[in-house]
Amino acid sequence: MKYNPINNQLFIKNRAKFTAQMKPKSIAVFNSNDIFTTGADSTLPFEQHRDIFYLSGADQEESILLLFPDAIDPKHREILFLTETNQHIAIWYGAKYSKEEAAKVSGIKTIYWLSEFDKVFYDLMTEADTIYFNTNEHYRQAEELESREDRFIKMCKAKYPAHKWEKSNQILQQLRGVKEPEEIEIIQHACDITNKGFRRILPFVKPGIMEYEIEAEFMHEFLKNRSDGFAYTPIIASGYSACVLHYIENNKECKDGDMLLLDVGAKYANYSSDMTRTIPVNGRFSDRQKAVYNAVLRVKNAATKMLAPGVLWAEYQKEVGKLMSSELLGLGLIDKADIQNEDPNWPAYKKYFMHGTSHHMGLDTHDYGALKTPMKANMVFTVEPGIYIPEENMGIRIEDDVVVQKTGEPFNLMRDIPIEIEEIEDLMNS
């Protein structure tokens, strides 16, 4: 890992919060992600499953975390299972965690090798009534491959049919949505690295440059600052491409007079940042570009102020829609008749702003967190309105990451990233 060590008190706290919500005589198990092959002997870089990382800090493949608060033997109330390192692994791939290193990273005292899992698990299941399965129930999940968790669940249902089962996800959705101070500090660090990347590319962008060259500049700056790289596939979209919400080809020339939408974020210690800025390729906004940009910025600023404890996400989105409708009227993109005759299920503003305004952000870019219940302090949300005008070859989105506060306005983790027209123009022409 490139990132600096994280104090294991974060993971100790996270486990305590989780186990406090487990039923009596129950076991919860969390598996690492698989390593995925690309063919022949090549694999994709390993990405740790965020749930096991959240609860243990273990950032290594084939790890298993077992939590059993009511275990008869106190040493079996928290167990981390790891691949046993050896000289061959050390020479070819680098040494894995020792038991001492794993204990230091996680704060877990009992570390077993993975080869011992079946025996230990069977013994503990004789003491337990219930097992918590860690299914992916994120509202945007799109799993197509069978995961280690899936295979583990199949095994348990076949081998231990008399046990009851519960879902870890319902607990994790609540816990991971509200960040600990240490988590907010890590996300802030990821945002600060993103800030450095954005400031690096502002004087670099000019007509004739390729989108992938800009992507390379971001990556250079991210890696130089101990980032793991991009938190998600970056969007470097000039001209009409900015109207394609998930444009990721990043292979076109940036042309004079076009706007350039940059949706990028650095990842640090497995935590995401998520920034969008839109800048003029030639370094100067036209009057029309200024008008649309400032409309989006006004919506973003007003929407940010709405995020507070007790607010419902669905109601918040409706209020943002009203703000956007007003701005689109002012820009001449819709008229009053469009609003009067709109379909309530697809309001008139959706023609030019068709996505949501905010999502949870943290270990995942679209992080776990409750959306149907009232917001709470220390939730981290994006705020990302946009206006997309294909007929004008222009899409403008502006996005910051903010922390909901107990009182007052949210704290903007991207407060230092240039956002005003004058500052962007000055930096692009410096």
Side-chain angles (χ1 to χ4, degrees):
M1 288 74 73
K2 300 180 182 71
Y3 56 87
N4 289 311
I6 299 171
N7 190 316
N8 64 23
Q9 290 301 309
L10 171 61
F11 310 117
I12 292 170
K13 282 193 292 184
N14 290 345
R15 289 195 299 276
K17 289 186 296 184
F18 185 90
T19 55
Q21 296 194 41
M22 291 174 65
K23 292 187 173 182
K25 299 184 70 174
S26 63
I27 289 176
V29 176
F30 301 88
N31 286 276
S32 293
N33 280 333
D34 279 315
I35 297 175
F36 296 101
T37 181
T38 60
D41 63 345
S42 299
T43 61
L44 294 172
F46 174 68
E47 285 273 350
Q48 182 59 292
H49 194 294
R50 298 307 190 244
D51 290 335
I52 191 173
F53 184 83
Y54 175 79
L55 293 166
S56 72
D59 204 351
Q60 183 172 292
E61 66 277 11
E62 297 185 328
S63 305
I64 301 176
L65 172 66
L66 186 149
L67 302 177
F68 187 10
D70 295 330
I72 294 171
D73 187 340
K75 75 177 183 181
H76 285 159
R77 291 172 187 171
E78 294 184 339
I79 309 174
L80 187 61
F81 295 86
L82 302 168
T83 298
E84 183 175 7
T85 193
N86 56 43
Q87 188 175 9
H88 175 80
I89 291 173
I91 290 172
W92 284 88
Y93 305 105
K96 304 301 180 183
Y97 288 133
S98 67
K99 289 186 177 182
E100 294 73 22
E101 289 169 336
K104 185 176 180 180
V105 165
S106 64
I108 295 171
K109 296 179 181 179
T110 304
I111 312 293
Y112 287 139
W113 298 131
L114 194 60
S115 58
E116 301 173 85
F117 177 78
D118 289 343
K119 179 177 180 294
V120 174
F121 183 59
Y122 176 82
D123 180 55
L124 295 180
M125 284 293 273
T126 65
E127 301 176 21
D129 294 332
T130 303
I131 181 164
Y132 278 81
F133 292 143
N134 191 32
T135 52
N136 182 358
E137 298 181 31
H138 189 275
Y139 67 102
R140 296 180 67 162
Q141 73 86 19
E143 288 186 347
E144 295 184 4
L145 297 175
E146 186 177 63
S147 67
R148 292 177 72 86
E149 293 285 13
D150 295 331
R151 296 193 295 275
F152 174 76
I153 291 168
K154 282 184 179 179
M155 180 276 290
C156 283
K157 288 183 174 180
K159 197 169 183 179
Y160 304 99
H163 282 71
K164 293 176 287 187
W165 58 273
E166 292 285 342
K167 299 189 294 184
S168 297
N169 188 265
Q170 290 178 331
I171 301 175
L172 288 167
Q173 288 279 5
Q174 297 295 324
L175 297 184
R176 281 182 50 183
V178 179
K179 271 54 179 181
E180 291 289 340
E182 297 96 326
E183 294 181 281
I184 293 172
E185 184 178 342
I186 296 170
I187 298 169
Q188 177 68 79
H189 191 68
C191 291
D192 292 343
I193 296 172
T194 301
N195 182 20
K196 290 180 180 180
F198 184 56
R199 289 178 180 273
R200 177 188 180 110
I201 66 93
L202 282 172
F204 178 77
V205 171
K206 59 184 180 295
I209 205 161
M210 302 300 289
E211 293 166 346
Y212 54 76
E213 294 181 83
I214 300 166
E215 181 179 349
E217 291 296 310
F218 272 111
M219 179 59 92
H220 186 157
E221 193 66 28
F222 289 178
L223 294 180
K224 191 173 80 170
N225 285 277
R226 301 178 75 101
S227 166
D228 302 317
F230 290 104
Y232 51 92
T233 305
I235 298 170
I236 315 289
S238 60
Y240 179 84
S241 296
C243 298
V244 181
L245 297 182
H246 291 145
Y247 170 82
I248 57 173
E249 285 79 5
N250 303 344
N251 62 1
K252 295 183 176 59
E253 179 184 341
C254 300
K255 297 181 179 179
D256 189 15
D258 280 349
M259 294 292 282
L260 173 66
L261 189 153
L262 306 161
D263 190 337
V264 301
K267 180 173 65 173
Y268 183 79
N270 288 311
Y271 282 83
S272 296
S273 62
D274 189 357
M275 176 204 76
T276 308
R277 292 292 186 270
T278 311
I279 62 176
V281 170
N282 62 16
R284 298 291 179 190
F285 289 80
S286 70
D287 289 343
R288 176 61 170 174
Q289 290 166 349
K290 284 182 180 180
V292 178
Y293 186 93
N294 282 327
V296 176
L297 184 57
R298 283 191 294 269
V299 173
K300 188 199 77 74
N301 291 339
T304 300
K305 294 176 182 178
M306 295 180 193
L307 295 171
V311 171
L312 290 171
W313 186 89
E315 294 302 317
Y316 159 75
Q317 183 62 48
K318 288 180 183 177
E319 292 303 312
V320 174
K322 293 176 183 177
L323 293 172
M324 184 59 78
S325 295
S326 177
E327 293 292 350
L328 294 176
L329 281 169
L331 292 168
L333 292 170
I334 62 175
D335 57 32
K336 291 182 178 179
D338 292 323
I339 296 176
Q340 290 169 355
N341 299 323
E342 69 184 12
D343 178 351
N345 296 317
W346 192 256
Y349 76 84
K350 288 283 190 180
K351 180 178 180 181
Y352 296 100
F353 173 40
M354 60 293 295
H355 57 78
T357 309
S358 296
H359 58 76
H360 285 278
M361 216 245 348
L363 277 168
D364 287 299
T365 305
H366 295 98
D367 205 19
Y368 281 178
L371 284 178
K372 297 179 181 179
T373 54
M375 295 178 187
K376 297 179 180 178
N378 290 333
M379 286 184 166
V380 177
F381 284 102
T382 63
V383 187
E384 49 180 308
I387 295 176
Y388 310 91
I389 318 172
E391 58 270 25
E392 297 183 31
N393 274 356
M394 176 168 53
I396 294 177
R397 181 166 67 251
I398 306 172
E399 176 183 21
D400 282 336
D401 305 335
V402 304
V403 186
V404 176
Q405 303 293 290
K406 289 182 180 178
T407 59
E409 294 182 16
F411 181 74
N412 190 350
L413 297 169
M414 293 185 161
R415 62 202 174 280
D416 295 330
I417 300 180
I419 197 167
E420 297 290 343
I421 285 175
E422 294 77 11
E423 184 178 11
I424 289 172
E425 289 186 335
D426 287 347
L427 289 169
M428 292 189 75
N429 292 283
S430 60

